[in-house]
């Protein structure tokens, strides 16, 4: 590991799959992140995906621990709005994009008792010294290339190795099949996939559930609009 000014780089493999993963997050420039919450959460999520951001905050309120890792953290909005079960939690943020790590660390500095940042790819083994009681990843899988059953299962296997045995892995993602039932979400997903921001044309609710079943004895899965919410608890 190499310590940078503001994050620990866990290393990335030089292969085509990793290049596609990296390309999918390059839209998150420092200038775009200034408008991320408004555009992505309050406009796109509410009107295209038919899922107001309070639904994601509610998920975090249910599963957050005092020792939490958030992956694909965006601006840190959900962590900033959610209620932690302790006054000064240990918060770790993980992303491929340094801009997201900078912004989320800035916004969460007043909340966390301890704040860590990592750059890593969830489709590759993740080596952190810490293990976590909760791991969140909202609006992440639909930006990762590949079919949901494979990419979610690979991510779950990697994350279970850094999750404490009684912890939880949870998140939300836009699914292609759910988006086809509404004109705005259908057009939105088509456009975002064409631009390479989304990679969810092979993402369906049955395949996400299959990935959960492959890795967890106990899980939760429900749908709001075009968004699937999930939580994996006891591992197999």
């Amino acid at each position: 590991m190499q310590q940078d000014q503001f994050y620990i780089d866990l290393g990335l493999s030089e292969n085509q799959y990793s290049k596609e993963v990296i390309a999918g997050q390059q839209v998150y420039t420092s200038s775009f992140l200034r408008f991320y919450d408004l555009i992505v959460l309050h406009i796109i999520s509410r009107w295209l995906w038919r899922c107001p951001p309070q639904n994601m905050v509610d998920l975090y309120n249910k599963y957050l621990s005092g020792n939490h890792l958030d992956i694909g953290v965006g601006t840190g909005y959900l962590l900033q709005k959610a209620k932690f079960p302790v006054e000064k939690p240990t918060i770790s943020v993980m992303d491929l994009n340094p801009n997201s790590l900078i912004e989320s660390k800035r916004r969460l500095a007043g909340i966390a008792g301890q704040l860590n940042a990592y750059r890593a790819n969830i489709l590759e083994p993740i080596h952190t010294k810490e293990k976590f009681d909760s791991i969140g990843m909202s609006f992440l899988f639909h930006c990762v290339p590949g079919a949901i059953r494979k990419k979610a299962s690979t991510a779950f296997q990697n994350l279970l190795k850094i999750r404490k045995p009684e912890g939880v892995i949870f998140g939300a993602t836009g699914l292609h099949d759910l988006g086809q039932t509404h004109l705005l979400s259908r057009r939105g997903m088509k456009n975002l996939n064409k631009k390479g921001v989304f990679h969810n044309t092979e993402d369906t609710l049955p395949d996400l559930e299959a990935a959960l079943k492959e890795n967890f004895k106990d899980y939760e899965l429900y749908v709001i609009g075009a968004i699937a919410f999930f939580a994996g608890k006891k591992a197999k």
Side-chain angles (χ1 to χ4, degrees), residues 9-163:
D9 195 334
L10 300 180
L12 302 172
S13 298
E14 293 297 328
N15 56 56
Q16 180 58 38
Y17 208 55
S18 290
K19 289 178 181 177
E20 290 177 1
V21 173
I22 292 169
Q25 52 78 50
Q26 288 180 339
V27 67
Y28 299 105
T29 62
S30 57
S31 57
F32 175 72
L33 287 173
R34 296 190 194 118
F35 304 98
Y36 175 91
D37 297 344
L38 174 64
I39 295 172
V40 175
L41 298 176
H42 292 285
I43 296 178
I44 293 178
S45 183
R46 184 183 297 273
W47 298 110
L48 270 66
W49 315 146
R50 310 180 311 286
C51 184
Q54 184 60 43
N55 293 294
M56 278 75 81
V57 175
D58 291 342
L59 179 73
Y60 275 69
N61 286 340
K62 184 174 182 179
Y63 288 115
L64 272 179
S65 72
N67 174 30
H68 178 74
L69 169 66
D70 216 62
I71 307 174
V73 69
T75 63
Y77 174 93
L78 297 176
L79 294 174
Q80 189 179 40
K81 295 294 183 181
K83 296 177 182 178
F84 283 87
V86 299
E87 186 176 350
K88 286 293 182 179
T90 297
I91 302 175
S92 298
V93 292
M94 183 178 290
D95 208 290
L96 278 173
N97 193 309
N99 296 319
S100 289
L101 296 176
I102 294 171
E103 178 62 16
S104 60
K105 285 193 74 174
R106 182 187 69 80
R107 293 179 67 163
L108 299 172
I111 299 172
Q114 180 178 335
L115 185 54
N116 308 306
Y118 300 95
R119 185 171 186 255
N121 179 0
I122 61 164
L123 299 184
E124 299 178 11
I126 299 170
H127 304 289
T128 59
K129 293 180 180 179
E130 306 89 349
K131 290 197 174 183
F132 306 94
D133 293 302
S134 60
I135 300 175
M137 43 183 172
S138 289
F139 285 17
L140 175 63
F141 282 147
H142 58 226
C143 294
V144 176
I148 189 74
R149 183 166 184 173
K150 182 176 181 181
K151 64 188 174 186
S153 191
T154 298
F156 291 150
Q157 290 166 25
N158 290 334
L159 296 178
L160 281 168
K161 294 175 182 177
I162 60 171
R163 188 200 74 168

Side-chain angles (χ1 to χ4, degrees), residues 170-191:
F170 66 91
T173 187
L175 296 178
H176 191 261
D177 57 343
L178 300 179
Q180 302 312 297
T181 62
H182 187 268
L183 178 62
L184 288 178
S185 59
R186 184 166 64 249
R187 288 184 174 177
M189 285 191 182
K190 182 178 181 180
N191 186 48

